[in-house]
């Protein structure tokens, strides 16, 4: 995760539609690039939640997933898994099922966040994966509907304003159901994609690791985890 090509989610469990930050919880997200993570170190840095890459497309699983997902949990963090979408690879339903069966599940234990769909710039080719805006919206709907049928939770959507505007036509189809995790590396969150009224997570930097604010205090993060 980490939209490196261009510039710039969210639930009733988060704070109201205030672009300013009042209470926040700090967290990180990791993938195989980080290898075995020193979770005690990041806990000491004040990080209290983590998202861990589980899958990509329908053939990739993060080889460090167990160390990262279980390690963050064991140190005390609230953690969740994310899936990197390849919409030109297979249907949204197929990828949601692959994700849910490969680490992206959910349980109401107060420590497990709903799975996240990482949908952004294509690192392998055409920015919008060769899909029209309407086809992209349909693909995302297929994914989130299938994920909800598998887990009972609305998936978090990770994206940024520029990609979402370009590839979905700035669709508003998900802003009342799916928590928004917005990527914008700046001192302010900026205009949110898709007319989401507020963000749930804001990834604000990738240095020295991807870091995000949760838009609320620890009790709200626990509420999001519990559904």
């Amino acid at each position: 995760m980490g939209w490196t090509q261009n510039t710039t989610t969210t639930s009733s469990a988060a704070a109201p539609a205030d672009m300013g930050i009042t209470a926040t919880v700090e967290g990180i997200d990791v993938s195989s690039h980080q290898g075995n993570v020193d979770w005690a170190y990041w806990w000491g840095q004040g990080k209290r939640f983590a998202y861990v890459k589980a899958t990509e497309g329908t053939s990739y699983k993060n080889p460090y997933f167990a160390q990262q997902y279980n390690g963050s949990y064991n140190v005390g963090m609230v953690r969740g898994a994310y899936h990197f979408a390849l919409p030109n690879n297979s249907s949204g339903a197929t990828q949601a099922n692959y994700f849910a069966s490969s680490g992206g599940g959910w349980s109401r234990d107060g420590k497990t966040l709903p799975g996240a769909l990482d949908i952004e710039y294509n690192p392998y080719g055409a920015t919008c994966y060769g899909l029209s805006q309407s086809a992209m919206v349909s693909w995302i709907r297929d994914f989130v509907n299938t994920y909800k049928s598998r887990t009972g939770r609305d998936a978090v959507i990770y994206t940024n304003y520029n990609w979402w505007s370009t590839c979905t036509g700035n669709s508003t189809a998900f802003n009342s159901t799916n928590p928004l995790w917005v990527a914008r590396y700046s001192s302010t969150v900026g205009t949110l994609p898709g007319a989401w009224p507020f963000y749930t997570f804001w990834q604000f930097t990738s240095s020295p690791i991807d870091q995000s604010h949760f838009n609320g205090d620890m009790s709200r993060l626990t509420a999001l985890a519990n559904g």
Side-chain angles (χ1 to χ4, degrees), residues 6-106:
N6 286 352
T7 318
T8 268
T9 220
T10 319
S11 134
S12 57
D18 180 3
M19 293 304 116
I21 297 176
T22 51
T24 63
V25 183
E26 303 303 308
I28 61 175
D29 63 86
V30 297
S31 68
S32 63
H33 295 295
Q34 281 71 47
N36 291 318
V37 175
D38 184 348
W39 290 107
Y41 169 80
W42 288 110
W43 180 268
Q45 296 298 304
K47 308 308 179 186
R48 294 297 180 263
F49 71 87
Y51 263 105
V52 177
K53 183 174 183 177
T55 50
E56 178 175 318
T58 54
S59 60
Y60 175 84
K61 297 179 182 179
N62 175 9
Y64 295 94
F65 180 76
Q67 192 275 345
Q68 295 173 349
Y69 192 70
N70 297 330
S72 54
Y73 180 94
N74 290 337
V75 82
M77 292 186 189
V78 182
R79 50 78 157 111
Y82 76 87
H83 172 80
F84 189 90
L86 296 179
N88 59 338
N89 173 281
S90 56
S91 70
T94 297
Q95 292 192 35
N97 280 317
Y98 182 69
F99 175 51
S101 298
S102 307
W106 175 79

Side-chain angles (χ1 to χ4, degrees), residues 10-197:
T10 319
S11 134
S12 57
D18 180 3
M19 293 304 116
I21 297 176
T22 51
T24 63
V25 183
E26 303 303 308
I28 61 175
D29 63 86
V30 297
S31 68
S32 63
H33 295 295
Q34 281 71 47
N36 291 318
V37 175
D38 184 348
W39 290 107
Y41 169 80
W42 288 110
W43 180 268
Q45 296 298 304
K47 308 308 179 186
R48 294 297 180 263
F49 71 87
Y51 263 105
V52 177
K53 183 174 183 177
T55 50
E56 178 175 318
T58 54
S59 60
Y60 175 84
K61 297 179 182 179
N62 175 9
Y64 295 94
F65 180 76
Q67 192 275 345
Q68 295 173 349
Y69 192 70
N70 297 330
S72 54
Y73 180 94
N74 290 337
V75 82
M77 292 186 189
V78 182
R79 50 78 157 111
Y82 76 87
H83 172 80
F84 189 90
L86 296 179
N88 59 338
N89 173 281
S90 56
S91 70
T94 297
Q95 292 192 35
N97 280 317
Y98 182 69
F99 175 51
S101 298
S102 307
W106 175 79
S107 60
R108 186 176 281 110
D109 59 4
K111 298 287 291 293
T112 304
L113 294 164
L117 172 65
D118 178 357
I119 190 147
E120 55 171 298
Y121 297 103
N122 180 3
Y124 311 114
T127 295
C128 300
Y129 302 85
L131 273 62
S132 67
Q133 291 175 341
S134 61
M136 185 65 75
V137 171
S138 295
W139 192 96
I140 296 167
R141 183 177 292 111
D142 197 27
F143 184 100
V144 299
N145 287 350
T146 302
Y147 184 80
K148 187 168 186 177
S149 73
R150 284 289 304 270
T151 66
R153 296 303 307 273
D154 290 306
V156 174
I157 294 176
Y158 169 97
T159 195
N160 66 82
Y161 181 84
N162 286 354
W163 184 90
W164 191 263
S165 297
T166 299
C167 297
T168 75
N170 211 22
S171 173
T172 61
F174 309 100
N175 66 20
S176 64
T177 51
N178 297 88
L180 173 67
W181 184 2
V182 64
R184 186 170 193 264
Y185 299 168
S186 179
S187 59
T188 61
V189 72
T191 302
L192 299 181
W196 261 278

